[in-house]
Amino acid sequence: MTPPSDPSAPPSWLEQRLPIGRMLRDHLIFAPIPADFSLGACVEPLIWGALITLTFTGIWLGLFYHAAPQHAFTSLQTIMRAVPFGWLIRDLHRTGVSILFALAYLQLFRALRLGLYRDGRELAWIVSLVRFAMFLFLGVLGFIMIDGAASIALSLDLAAHLAAIPLIGHAIAQAFLGAASDLSRPDLTRIAMAHIAIGFLLLLIAGLTSLTQRLAPPANRDGLPRLDPRDLVAFHPYGSPRLFAAAIITGLIFFGLILAAPHGQSSRLNAIPAGTLALPLHLDLPWYLLGFAGLAQAGQSLGGGTALIAVVLILLAALPWLDRSPAAAARYRPWHRRALWLLAGAWVLLSIGAADPRGAWTLMIDLSACYVIAHFLLVTPLISLLEAPQPVPTRLRGAKK
Amino acid sequence: MRQTPIRFLTILALAFAAVGFGAMAWVFIAALGPIRPAAAPSVATNLASSRR
Protein backbone atom coordinates (compact mmCIF):
# COMPACT_ATOMS: atom_id res chain seq x y z
CA MET A 1 0.00 0.00 0.00
CA THR A 2 1.38 3.43 -0.93
CA PRO A 3 1.80 5.66 2.10
CA PRO A 4 0.32 9.18 1.88
CA SER A 5 2.41 11.42 -0.41
CA ASP A 6 5.42 9.10 -0.67
CA PRO A 7 8.17 11.61 -1.54
CA SER A 8 10.49 8.95 -2.98
CA ALA A 9 8.12 7.87 -5.77
CA PRO A 10 8.62 9.88 -8.98
CA PRO A 11 5.32 11.49 -10.04
CA SER A 12 3.88 10.64 -13.44
CA TRP A 13 3.63 13.11 -16.32
CA LEU A 14 0.03 13.95 -15.54
CA GLU A 15 0.64 13.98 -11.79
CA GLN A 16 3.37 16.62 -12.20
CA ARG A 17 0.96 18.93 -13.99
CA LEU A 18 -2.27 18.05 -12.16
CA PRO A 19 -1.59 16.53 -8.71
CA ILE A 20 -5.05 14.98 -8.49
CA GLY A 21 -3.69 11.67 -7.21
CA ARG A 22 -1.87 13.37 -4.34
CA MET A 23 -5.02 15.33 -3.51
CA LEU A 24 -7.10 12.15 -3.45
CA ARG A 25 -4.54 10.42 -1.24
CA ASP A 26 -4.11 13.30 1.22
CA HIS A 27 -7.72 14.42 1.49
CA LEU A 28 -9.77 11.31 0.75
CA ILE A 29 -8.07 7.92 0.86
CA PHE A 30 -5.55 8.58 3.64
CA ALA A 31 -7.30 11.64 5.10
CA PRO A 32 -6.83 11.90 8.87
CA ILE A 33 -9.96 10.79 10.71
CA PRO A 34 -10.58 10.50 14.45
CA ALA A 35 -9.85 7.03 15.79
CA ASP A 36 -13.47 6.69 16.97
CA PHE A 37 -14.73 6.89 13.35
CA SER A 38 -18.25 5.46 13.55
CA LEU A 39 -21.12 4.58 11.22
CA GLY A 40 -22.52 8.05 11.96
CA ALA A 41 -19.42 9.61 10.41
CA CYS A 42 -20.22 7.77 7.15
CA VAL A 43 -23.35 9.87 6.59
CA GLU A 44 -21.51 12.66 4.78
CA PRO A 45 -20.02 10.41 2.03
CA LEU A 46 -23.38 8.62 1.76
CA ILE A 47 -25.08 12.00 1.19
CA TRP A 48 -22.62 12.48 -1.67
CA GLY A 49 -23.63 9.10 -3.05
CA ALA A 50 -27.30 10.09 -2.90
CA LEU A 51 -26.57 13.47 -4.51
CA ILE A 52 -24.67 11.87 -7.41
CA THR A 53 -27.48 9.31 -7.88
CA LEU A 54 -30.04 12.13 -7.91
CA THR A 55 -27.99 14.22 -10.34
CA PHE A 56 -27.57 11.42 -12.88
CA THR A 57 -31.15 10.10 -12.65
CA GLY A 58 -32.34 13.73 -12.75
CA ILE A 59 -30.49 14.41 -16.01
CA TRP A 60 -31.98 11.26 -17.51
CA LEU A 61 -35.52 12.13 -16.32
CA GLY A 62 -35.03 15.59 -17.79
CA LEU A 63 -34.54 13.99 -21.22
CA PHE A 64 -38.12 12.69 -21.18
CA TYR A 65 -39.91 15.29 -19.02
CA HIS A 66 -42.08 17.88 -20.79
CA ALA A 67 -42.47 20.94 -18.59
CA ALA A 68 -45.90 22.01 -19.79
CA PRO A 69 -49.28 21.86 -18.00
CA GLN A 70 -50.89 19.26 -20.27
CA HIS A 71 -47.77 17.22 -20.89
CA ALA A 72 -45.86 16.95 -17.61
CA PHE A 73 -48.13 14.30 -16.10
CA THR A 74 -48.32 12.34 -19.37
CA SER A 75 -44.56 12.47 -19.86
CA LEU A 76 -44.07 10.94 -16.40
CA GLN A 77 -46.48 8.13 -17.36
CA THR A 78 -44.40 7.61 -20.51
CA ILE A 79 -41.25 7.44 -18.39
CA MET A 80 -42.87 4.86 -16.10
CA ARG A 81 -44.26 2.66 -18.87
CA ALA A 82 -42.57 3.17 -22.23
CA VAL A 83 -39.01 4.38 -21.65
CA PRO A 84 -36.66 1.40 -21.24
CA PHE A 85 -35.89 1.18 -17.50
CA GLY A 86 -37.70 4.51 -17.05
CA TRP A 87 -39.50 3.10 -14.01
CA LEU A 88 -36.15 2.22 -12.43
CA ILE A 89 -34.62 5.63 -13.13
CA ARG A 90 -37.65 7.46 -11.73
CA ASP A 91 -37.78 5.21 -8.66
CA LEU A 92 -34.05 5.76 -8.10
CA HIS A 93 -34.81 9.49 -8.17
CA ARG A 94 -37.86 9.59 -5.89
CA THR A 95 -36.66 6.95 -3.45
CA GLY A 96 -33.20 8.54 -3.55
CA VAL A 97 -34.76 11.73 -2.24
CA SER A 98 -36.18 9.83 0.72
CA ILE A 99 -32.78 8.29 1.41
CA LEU A 100 -31.11 11.70 1.08
CA PHE A 101 -33.50 13.29 3.57
CA ALA A 102 -33.18 10.37 5.98
CA LEU A 103 -29.40 10.87 5.88
CA ALA A 104 -29.71 14.66 6.16
CA TYR A 105 -32.00 14.45 9.22
CA LEU A 106 -29.67 11.85 10.77
CA GLN A 107 -26.72 14.15 10.18
CA LEU A 108 -28.53 17.13 11.71
CA PHE A 109 -29.35 15.12 14.83
CA ARG A 110 -25.80 13.77 15.05
CA ALA A 111 -24.45 17.32 14.81
CA LEU A 112 -26.75 18.39 17.64
CA ARG A 113 -25.71 15.37 19.77
CA LEU A 114 -21.97 15.78 19.25
CA GLY A 115 -21.95 19.58 19.29
CA LEU A 116 -20.63 19.75 15.73
CA TYR A 117 -21.86 23.35 15.40
CA ARG A 118 -19.38 24.97 17.79
CA ASP A 119 -15.69 25.26 18.67
CA GLY A 120 -14.39 26.29 15.27
CA ARG A 121 -17.04 24.42 13.28
CA GLU A 122 -19.55 27.32 13.06
CA LEU A 123 -19.01 28.05 9.37
CA ALA A 124 -19.21 24.37 8.41
CA TRP A 125 -22.45 24.14 10.40
CA ILE A 126 -24.05 27.17 8.75
CA VAL A 127 -23.03 26.03 5.25
CA SER A 128 -24.49 22.59 5.98
CA LEU A 129 -27.74 24.30 7.06
CA VAL A 130 -27.83 26.22 3.77
CA ARG A 131 -27.39 22.88 2.03
CA PHE A 132 -30.25 21.41 4.06
CA ALA A 133 -32.53 24.36 3.19
CA MET A 134 -31.67 23.76 -0.48
CA PHE A 135 -32.61 20.08 -0.09
CA LEU A 136 -36.01 21.19 1.24
CA PHE A 137 -36.57 23.73 -1.53
CA LEU A 138 -35.57 21.23 -4.23
CA GLY A 139 -37.83 18.62 -2.65
CA VAL A 140 -40.77 21.03 -2.88
CA LEU A 141 -40.00 21.97 -6.50
CA GLY A 142 -39.59 18.32 -7.50
CA PHE A 143 -42.91 17.43 -5.90
CA ILE A 144 -44.64 20.22 -7.84
CA MET A 145 -43.04 18.93 -11.08
CA ILE A 146 -45.05 15.68 -10.81
CA ASP A 147 -48.09 17.84 -11.70
CA GLY A 148 -50.61 15.66 -9.90
CA ALA A 149 -53.43 16.76 -7.61
CA ALA A 150 -51.16 16.80 -4.55
CA SER A 151 -48.57 18.82 -6.49
CA ILE A 152 -51.02 21.59 -7.30
CA ALA A 153 -52.20 21.66 -3.68
CA LEU A 154 -48.61 22.14 -2.51
CA SER A 155 -47.97 24.74 -5.21
CA LEU A 156 -51.03 26.77 -4.16
CA ASP A 157 -50.03 26.49 -0.51
CA LEU A 158 -46.44 27.52 -1.24
CA ALA A 159 -47.64 30.47 -3.32
CA ALA A 160 -49.93 31.61 -0.50
CA HIS A 161 -47.15 31.28 2.08
CA LEU A 162 -44.61 33.13 -0.06
CA ALA A 163 -47.11 35.86 -0.93
CA ALA A 164 -47.73 36.43 2.77
CA ILE A 165 -44.17 37.77 3.19
CA PRO A 166 -44.53 41.56 3.45
CA LEU A 167 -43.42 43.80 0.53
CA ILE A 168 -41.43 41.27 -1.52
CA GLY A 169 -43.60 38.17 -1.03
CA HIS A 170 -45.85 38.43 -4.04
CA ALA A 171 -42.93 39.18 -6.35
CA ILE A 172 -41.02 36.13 -5.06
CA ALA A 173 -44.06 33.90 -5.48
CA GLN A 174 -44.57 35.13 -9.02
CA ALA A 175 -40.90 34.83 -9.91
CA PHE A 176 -40.81 31.18 -8.89
CA LEU A 177 -44.29 29.93 -9.63
CA GLY A 178 -44.92 31.72 -12.87
CA ALA A 179 -46.76 34.25 -14.86
CA ALA A 180 -50.37 33.52 -13.87
CA SER A 181 -51.43 36.57 -11.86
CA ASP A 182 -53.57 34.54 -9.44
CA LEU A 183 -50.86 31.87 -9.10
CA SER A 184 -53.54 29.22 -9.52
CA ARG A 185 -51.36 27.13 -11.84
CA PRO A 186 -47.59 26.90 -11.46
CA ASP A 187 -45.48 27.64 -14.53
CA LEU A 188 -43.85 24.22 -14.86
CA THR A 189 -41.09 25.52 -17.13
CA ARG A 190 -39.86 27.81 -14.36
CA ILE A 191 -40.30 25.15 -11.71
CA ALA A 192 -38.36 22.60 -13.79
CA MET A 193 -35.57 25.05 -14.66
CA ALA A 194 -35.30 26.15 -11.02
CA HIS A 195 -35.18 22.49 -9.93
CA ILE A 196 -32.38 21.69 -12.40
CA ALA A 197 -30.39 24.91 -11.93
CA ILE A 198 -30.61 24.87 -8.12
CA GLY A 199 -29.84 21.16 -8.25
CA PHE A 200 -26.50 21.84 -9.92
CA LEU A 201 -25.88 24.80 -7.61
CA LEU A 202 -26.50 22.39 -4.76
CA LEU A 203 -23.51 20.29 -5.86
CA LEU A 204 -21.38 23.41 -5.43
CA ILE A 205 -22.81 24.09 -1.97
CA ALA A 206 -22.33 20.42 -1.05
CA GLY A 207 -18.70 20.72 -2.12
CA LEU A 208 -18.36 23.83 0.03
CA THR A 209 -19.94 21.91 2.93
CA SER A 210 -17.42 19.08 2.61
CA LEU A 211 -14.55 21.58 2.24
CA THR A 212 -15.52 23.56 5.36
CA GLN A 213 -15.98 20.31 7.28
CA ARG A 214 -12.54 19.13 6.18
CA LEU A 215 -10.95 22.44 7.28
CA ALA A 216 -12.83 22.50 10.60
CA PRO A 217 -11.61 20.46 13.60
CA PRO A 218 -12.35 16.75 12.94
CA ALA A 219 -15.81 15.70 14.16
CA ASN A 220 -15.49 13.21 16.99
CA ARG A 221 -17.85 11.49 19.38
CA ASP A 222 -16.41 13.21 22.45
CA GLY A 223 -17.00 16.67 20.98
CA LEU A 224 -13.36 17.63 21.51
CA PRO A 225 -12.45 20.96 19.88
CA ARG A 226 -8.95 19.69 18.97
CA LEU A 227 -7.59 16.20 18.83
CA ASP A 228 -4.30 14.78 19.98
CA PRO A 229 -2.30 13.74 16.87
CA ARG A 230 -2.21 10.21 18.31
CA ASP A 231 -6.03 10.13 18.07
CA LEU A 232 -5.96 10.64 14.30
CA VAL A 233 -5.68 7.68 11.91
CA ALA A 234 -5.74 7.32 8.12
CA PHE A 235 -9.16 6.80 6.57
CA HIS A 236 -7.86 3.78 4.69
CA PRO A 237 -7.64 1.13 6.08
CA TYR A 238 -9.00 2.21 9.48
CA GLY A 239 -12.29 3.81 8.41
CA SER A 240 -12.91 2.43 4.93
CA PRO A 241 -14.39 -0.97 5.93
CA ARG A 242 -16.94 0.86 8.08
CA LEU A 243 -17.87 3.16 5.18
CA PHE A 244 -18.12 0.08 2.95
CA ALA A 245 -20.49 -1.52 5.47
CA ALA A 246 -22.53 1.69 5.76
CA ALA A 247 -22.79 1.95 1.97
CA ILE A 248 -23.95 -1.68 1.69
CA ILE A 249 -26.58 -1.21 4.44
CA THR A 250 -27.87 2.01 2.84
CA GLY A 251 -27.83 0.44 -0.63
CA LEU A 252 -29.82 -2.58 0.59
CA ILE A 253 -32.44 -0.29 2.19
CA PHE A 254 -32.46 1.84 -0.98
CA PHE A 255 -33.01 -1.04 -3.41
CA GLY A 256 -35.34 -2.78 -0.94
CA LEU A 257 -37.57 0.30 -0.98
CA ILE A 258 -37.38 0.61 -4.77
CA LEU A 259 -38.22 -3.03 -5.46
CA ALA A 260 -40.66 -3.73 -2.62
CA ALA A 261 -42.34 -0.37 -1.92
CA PRO A 262 -41.81 1.97 -4.87
CA HIS A 263 -44.94 3.97 -4.10
CA GLY A 264 -44.30 4.08 -0.37
CA GLN A 265 -43.13 7.67 -0.41
CA SER A 266 -45.42 9.06 -3.09
CA SER A 267 -48.79 10.68 -2.64
CA ARG A 268 -51.80 8.69 -3.90
CA LEU A 269 -53.39 11.98 -4.94
CA ASN A 270 -50.57 12.40 -7.44
CA ALA A 271 -52.06 9.53 -9.46
CA ILE A 272 -54.68 12.12 -10.51
CA PRO A 273 -53.51 14.73 -13.05
CA ALA A 274 -53.52 18.30 -11.77
CA GLY A 275 -56.62 20.27 -12.57
CA THR A 276 -58.93 22.76 -10.94
CA LEU A 277 -61.68 20.12 -10.80
CA ALA A 278 -59.63 17.82 -8.56
CA LEU A 279 -58.29 20.08 -5.82
CA PRO A 280 -57.52 18.10 -2.65
CA LEU A 281 -58.95 19.44 0.62
CA HIS A 282 -55.65 19.13 2.46
CA LEU A 283 -51.97 18.81 1.68
CA ASP A 284 -50.59 15.33 1.11
CA LEU A 285 -46.87 15.73 1.55
CA PRO A 286 -43.86 13.40 1.54
CA TRP A 287 -42.60 12.58 5.04
CA TYR A 288 -39.53 14.81 4.84
CA LEU A 289 -41.61 17.98 4.44
CA LEU A 290 -44.12 17.13 7.17
CA GLY A 291 -42.17 18.67 10.08
CA PHE A 292 -42.02 21.99 8.29
CA ALA A 293 -45.68 21.68 7.26
CA GLY A 294 -46.43 21.24 10.97
CA LEU A 295 -44.50 24.43 11.75
CA ALA A 296 -46.46 26.25 9.04
CA GLN A 297 -49.69 24.98 10.57
CA ALA A 298 -48.61 26.00 14.08
CA GLY A 299 -48.08 29.56 12.86
CA GLN A 300 -51.91 29.89 12.85
CA SER A 301 -51.85 32.04 9.71
CA LEU A 302 -50.04 32.11 6.37
CA GLY A 303 -47.61 34.81 7.50
CA GLY A 304 -47.18 33.21 10.91
CA GLY A 305 -46.36 29.85 9.35
CA THR A 306 -43.74 31.32 7.03
CA ALA A 307 -42.25 33.25 9.94
CA LEU A 308 -42.12 30.15 12.16
CA ILE A 309 -40.21 28.12 9.54
CA ALA A 310 -37.78 31.03 9.08
CA VAL A 311 -37.36 31.37 12.85
CA VAL A 312 -36.48 27.68 13.28
CA LEU A 313 -33.88 27.83 10.47
CA ILE A 314 -32.39 31.05 11.91
CA LEU A 315 -32.31 29.60 15.43
CA LEU A 316 -30.47 26.53 14.10
CA ALA A 317 -27.90 28.84 12.48
CA ALA A 318 -27.57 30.80 15.74
CA LEU A 319 -27.06 27.62 17.78
CA PRO A 320 -23.26 28.03 18.14
CA TRP A 321 -23.87 31.24 20.08
CA LEU A 322 -26.87 29.97 22.07
CA ASP A 323 -24.98 26.99 23.52
CA ARG A 324 -22.64 28.27 26.26
CA SER A 325 -21.68 24.96 27.87
CA PRO A 326 -17.96 24.15 28.36
CA ALA A 327 -18.63 20.61 27.02
CA ALA A 328 -19.84 20.10 23.46
CA ALA A 329 -21.00 16.48 23.24
CA ALA A 330 -24.34 15.49 24.74
CA ARG A 331 -22.80 12.36 26.29
CA TYR A 332 -21.20 14.60 28.94
CA ARG A 333 -24.34 16.71 29.47
CA PRO A 334 -27.21 14.53 30.83
CA TRP A 335 -29.92 17.20 30.82
CA HIS A 336 -28.95 18.52 27.42
CA ARG A 337 -29.10 14.96 26.12
CA ARG A 338 -32.65 14.52 27.45
CA ALA A 339 -33.69 17.84 25.93
CA LEU A 340 -32.35 16.68 22.54
CA TRP A 341 -34.41 13.48 22.65
CA LEU A 342 -37.42 15.63 23.57
CA LEU A 343 -36.66 17.78 20.51
CA ALA A 344 -36.54 14.69 18.28
CA GLY A 345 -39.83 13.49 19.80
CA ALA A 346 -41.43 16.90 19.26
CA TRP A 347 -40.32 16.86 15.62
CA VAL A 348 -41.78 13.37 15.07
CA LEU A 349 -45.09 14.44 16.69
CA LEU A 350 -45.08 17.57 14.54
CA SER A 351 -44.65 15.42 11.43
CA ILE A 352 -47.33 12.88 12.42
CA GLY A 353 -49.73 15.68 13.28
CA ALA A 354 -49.11 17.54 10.03
CA ALA A 355 -49.94 14.42 7.99
CA ASP A 356 -53.57 14.65 9.15
CA PRO A 357 -54.09 17.81 11.21
CA ARG A 358 -57.48 17.25 12.84
CA GLY A 359 -58.93 17.09 16.34
CA ALA A 360 -56.43 16.74 19.16
CA TRP A 361 -53.54 16.73 16.70
CA THR A 362 -53.89 20.48 16.09
CA LEU A 363 -53.14 21.03 19.78
CA MET A 364 -50.29 18.50 19.59
CA ILE A 365 -48.83 20.36 16.60
CA ASP A 366 -48.96 23.68 18.48
CA LEU A 367 -47.35 22.18 21.60
CA SER A 368 -44.60 20.45 19.59
CA ALA A 369 -43.84 23.63 17.63
CA CYS A 370 -43.69 25.55 20.93
CA TYR A 371 -41.13 23.07 22.25
CA VAL A 372 -39.05 23.17 19.05
CA ILE A 373 -38.78 26.98 19.30
CA ALA A 374 -38.31 26.91 23.07
CA HIS A 375 -35.64 24.22 22.80
CA PHE A 376 -33.33 26.48 20.81
CA LEU A 377 -34.35 29.82 22.32
CA LEU A 378 -34.67 28.91 26.03
CA VAL A 379 -33.87 25.31 26.91
CA THR A 380 -30.45 25.05 25.21
CA PRO A 381 -29.05 28.38 26.55
CA LEU A 382 -30.46 27.83 30.06
CA ILE A 383 -29.29 24.21 30.40
CA SER A 384 -25.89 25.12 28.98
CA LEU A 385 -25.52 27.86 31.64
CA LEU A 386 -26.97 25.94 34.60
CA GLU A 387 -25.78 22.37 34.00
CA ALA A 388 -22.35 21.33 35.23
CA PRO A 389 -21.10 18.84 32.60
CA GLN A 390 -19.30 15.64 33.50
CA PRO A 391 -15.51 15.82 33.14
CA VAL A 392 -14.49 15.70 29.47
CA PRO A 393 -11.35 13.65 28.67
CA THR A 394 -8.49 15.25 26.79
CA ARG A 395 -8.02 12.19 24.55
CA LEU A 396 -10.67 10.26 22.63
CA ARG A 397 -12.45 7.75 24.84
CA GLY A 398 -12.89 5.02 22.23
CA ALA A 399 -9.32 5.28 20.90
CA LYS A 400 -6.48 2.85 21.54
CA LYS A 401 -3.99 4.51 23.85
CA MET B 1 -0.12 -13.78 13.64
CA ARG B 2 -2.82 -13.57 10.99
CA GLN B 3 -3.15 -10.29 9.19
CA THR B 4 -6.31 -8.74 7.81
CA PRO B 5 -6.36 -9.52 4.09
CA ILE B 6 -6.67 -5.87 3.06
CA ARG B 7 -5.71 -6.59 -0.54
CA PHE B 8 -8.38 -9.30 -0.86
CA LEU B 9 -11.06 -7.02 0.62
CA THR B 10 -10.02 -4.21 -1.71
CA ILE B 11 -10.38 -6.45 -4.74
CA LEU B 12 -13.74 -7.69 -3.46
CA ALA B 13 -14.96 -4.12 -2.92
CA LEU B 14 -13.78 -3.05 -6.35
CA ALA B 15 -15.46 -6.09 -7.95
CA PHE B 16 -18.76 -5.28 -6.21
CA ALA B 17 -18.50 -1.64 -7.24
CA ALA B 18 -17.66 -2.58 -10.85
CA VAL B 19 -20.67 -4.92 -11.13
CA GLY B 20 -22.98 -2.36 -9.51
CA PHE B 21 -21.82 0.61 -11.55
CA GLY B 22 -21.71 -1.53 -14.69
CA ALA B 23 -25.36 -2.54 -14.23
CA MET B 24 -26.37 1.06 -13.65
CA ALA B 25 -24.43 2.24 -16.68
CA TRP B 26 -26.18 -0.42 -18.76
CA VAL B 27 -29.59 0.81 -17.49
CA PHE B 28 -28.74 4.42 -18.29
CA ILE B 29 -27.53 3.59 -21.80
CA ALA B 30 -30.54 1.34 -22.45
CA ALA B 31 -32.87 4.20 -21.40
CA LEU B 32 -31.58 6.22 -24.34
CA GLY B 33 -32.90 3.61 -26.76
CA PRO B 34 -36.21 3.86 -28.62
CA ILE B 35 -39.36 4.36 -26.58
CA ARG B 36 -41.76 1.42 -26.85
CA PRO B 37 -44.36 2.50 -29.44
CA ALA B 38 -47.47 0.73 -28.15
CA ALA B 39 -47.43 1.97 -24.60
CA ALA B 40 -50.70 1.03 -22.98
CA PRO B 41 -51.68 3.10 -19.95
CA SER B 42 -52.16 0.00 -17.80
CA VAL B 43 -51.95 -3.77 -17.80
CA ALA B 44 -55.75 -3.94 -17.74
CA THR B 45 -56.06 -1.81 -20.88
CA ASN B 46 -53.27 -3.81 -22.44
CA LEU B 47 -55.17 -7.05 -21.87
CA ALA B 48 -58.48 -5.55 -22.99
CA SER B 49 -57.05 -4.28 -26.25
CA SER B 50 -55.13 -7.42 -27.11
CA ARG B 51 -56.32 -9.92 -29.72
CA ARG B 52 -58.47 -12.76 -28.44
Side-chain angles (χ1 to χ4, degrees), chain A residues 80-335:
Chain A
M80 292 304 280
R81 297 167 202 284
V83 173
F85 293 108
W87 60 274
L88 181 57
I89 292 174
R90 188 183 172 203
D91 281 346
L92 281 169
H93 201 75
R94 66 175 166 188
T95 311
V97 176
S98 273
I99 296 284
L100 175 71
F101 270 101
L103 293 169
Y105 278 112
L106 273 179
Q107 199 186 33
L108 269 185
F109 191 60
R110 180 172 185 266
L112 293 179
R113 293 253 314 158
L114 305 189
L116 299 183
Y117 45 83
R118 39 177 282 174
D119 304 328
R121 306 187 187 97
E122 292 87 355
L123 185 66
W125 167 247
I126 290 173
V127 174
S128 77
L129 283 180
V130 171
R131 187 185 65 171
F132 184 73
M134 287 175 82
F135 288 168
L136 287 174
F137 192 53
L138 281 170
V140 170
L141 291 181
F143 193 76
I144 295 176
M145 277 173 77
I146 300 170
D147 204 31
S151 305
I152 197 110
L154 175 61
S155 146
L156 288 173
D157 197 63
L158 179 69
H161 274 99
L162 285 177
I165 301 172
L167 299 176
I168 49 170
H170 202 77
I172 294 179
Q174 224 156 37
F176 268 109
L177 295 167
S181 58
D182 58 345
L183 298 172
S184 59
R185 197 87 169 83
D187 185 336
L188 286 171
T189 312
R190 289 190 192 194
I191 300 275
M193 273 319 293
H195 187 82
I196 294 166
I198 299 175
F200 280 109
L201 188 65
L202 173 63
L203 290 180
L204 207 68
I205 300 291
L208 198 61
T209 310
S210 293
L211 182 68
T212 47
Q213 284 181 359
R214 174 79 180 83
L215 296 175
N220 58 85
R221 293 163 81 189
D222 285 328
L224 303 181
R226 66 185 68 79
L227 289 180
D228 191 292
R230 287 169 294 175
D231 284 343
L232 289 168
V233 293
F235 170 71
H236 185 75
Y238 298 101
S240 45
R242 202 153 281 175
L243 176 61
F244 189 52
I248 286 180
I249 293 168
T250 317
L252 282 178
I253 295 173
F254 189 18
F255 277 89
L257 281 175
I258 288 177
L259 297 176
H263 301 291
Q265 311 302 331
S266 49
S267 163
R268 290 181 180 191
L269 290 172
N270 266 346
I272 306 166
T276 40
L277 291 178
L279 270 183
L281 291 175
H282 62 90
L283 289 176
D284 191 16
L285 295 174
W287 66 268
Y288 44 83
L289 296 177
L290 283 177
F292 290 91
L295 282 180
Q297 157 113 5
Q300 310 297 335
S301 66
L302 289 174
T306 315
L308 218 52
I309 292 175
V311 162
V312 166
L313 290 176
I314 291 169
L315 281 177
L316 274 170
L319 199 54
W321 297 277
L322 292 170
D323 180 2
R324 314 301 309 170
S325 175
R331 62 159 50 155
Y332 299 111
R333 304 157 66 183
W335 283 102

Side-chain angles (χ1 to χ4, degrees), chain A residues 354-370:
Chain A
D356 193 12
R358 279 184 301 191
W361 277 109
T362 47
L363 180 67
M364 192 59 89
I365 288 175
D366 294 351
L367 289 177
S368 307
C370 273

Side-chain angles (χ1 to χ4, degrees), chain B residues 13-44:
Chain B
L14 288 178
F16 264 107
V19 171
F21 282 105
M24 285 318 300
W26 185 62
V27 162
F28 275 77
I29 292 166
L32 297 177
I35 292 178
R36 272 197 294 276
S42 73
V43 176

